[in-house]
Amino acid sequence: MSEYETILTERTGRVGVVTLNRPKALNALNSQLMREVVAAVEAFDADDEIGAILITGSEKAFAAGADIKEMQPKTFAQVYGEDLFSQWDRLSSVRTPIVAAVAGYALGGGCELAMLCDFIIAADTAKFGQPEIKLGVIPGIGGSQRLTRAVGKAKAMDLCLTGRNMDAEEAERAGLVARVVPAADLQAVALEAATAIASMSLPIAMMAKEAVNRSFETTLAEGVKFERRVFHSTFATADQKEGMAAFVEKRAPKFVNG
Ligand code: CO8
């Protein structure tokens, strides 16, 4: 029996899949689900046999937000005291690449969880939004920051202030999602992308992820310098030798993750 109650986990080759599974609540993110997602993702991250992680939900909802019923009775002292939602920040320290496959609602905390992943593949049924303002709160899992970096001030203000949703096509145009695919193809396409990542050298994929993420934290000149040094360090790996040799010898590389 699975150790988890609100999520399903499985391994498909070198991909660790986490499926949010609270169908009656449209995968609303309660504290148990938060604990379980963080634990499952960290366990995959620590596993040498896993080269990519895929987080997904159901056809109807990736996640319809933080669990409003759980939050409703809380006082300021409680949410401040427990630092509500801070556990989600642990996903930003995960070094294995994480893909989000989003169909249906990705609202509030659902949109924020998708944005905590490295990139989003969306079904044409996906709907993204930060509707917290309609509940008398604001985004609390990084939405005001990550959405603004992803889509710019104009659209982030529009979404956070009006609480409206945007569909998958608008989200792709705005740069929030990497690809939009027909809903029926979502799981296959997302698994294919995660499998492609997992077939690369894991340390090199981690370096690529770290380099892209650095661009959000530093100046262009410092970021380019960081990238150059990490690029140089790839030459210390067996996988750089193998990758380039395989190209020259016109064969597929066999990476050893070292
Ligand atoms: N929390 C708890 N339960 C939920 C949530 C949620 N976010 N979303 C849906 N559910 C439940 C419904 O209550 C319902 O349960 P029941 O059958 O027991 O009444 C069940 O899921 C099905 O939902 P609906 O009947 O509403 O389904 P519809 O298809 O009619 O509507 C919607 C789907 C439009 C997605 C609708 O459910 C909805 O608007 N949900 C809420 C969306 C939302 O506002 N999300 C943002 C939540 S706040 C947040 O994520 C971040 C908060 C940050 C706060 C920081 C504080 C420190």
Side-chain angles (χ1 to χ4, degrees), residues 211 214-228:
R214 184 57 71 99
S215 72
F216 292 102
E217 308 287 349
T218 193
T219 62
L220 178 60
E222 286 302 319
V224 170
K225 199 176 287 177
F226 175 82
E227 178 201 75
R228 183 94 9 93

Side-chain angles (χ1 to χ4, degrees), residues 165-235:
N165 296 344
M166 64 177 169
D167 63 20
E169 195 192 314
E170 183 180 358
E172 186 185 32
R173 243 186 0 255
L176 178 63
V177 313
R179 320 182 202 172
V180 179
V181 299
D185 300 341
L186 176 69
Q187 296 304 332
V189 172
L191 188 59
E192 192 181 18
T195 302
I197 295 166
S199 75
M200 307 298 172
S201 162
L202 180 56
I204 304 295
M206 286 175 168
M207 288 179 197
K209 166 170 171 163
E210 202 176 349
V212 173
N213 278 335
R214 184 57 71 99
S215 72
F216 292 102
E217 308 287 349
T218 193
T219 62
L220 178 60
E222 286 302 319
V224 170
K225 199 176 287 177
F226 175 82
E227 178 201 75
R228 183 94 9 93
R229 292 292 171 251
V230 176
F231 167 73
H232 292 158
S233 72
T234 62
F235 284 72

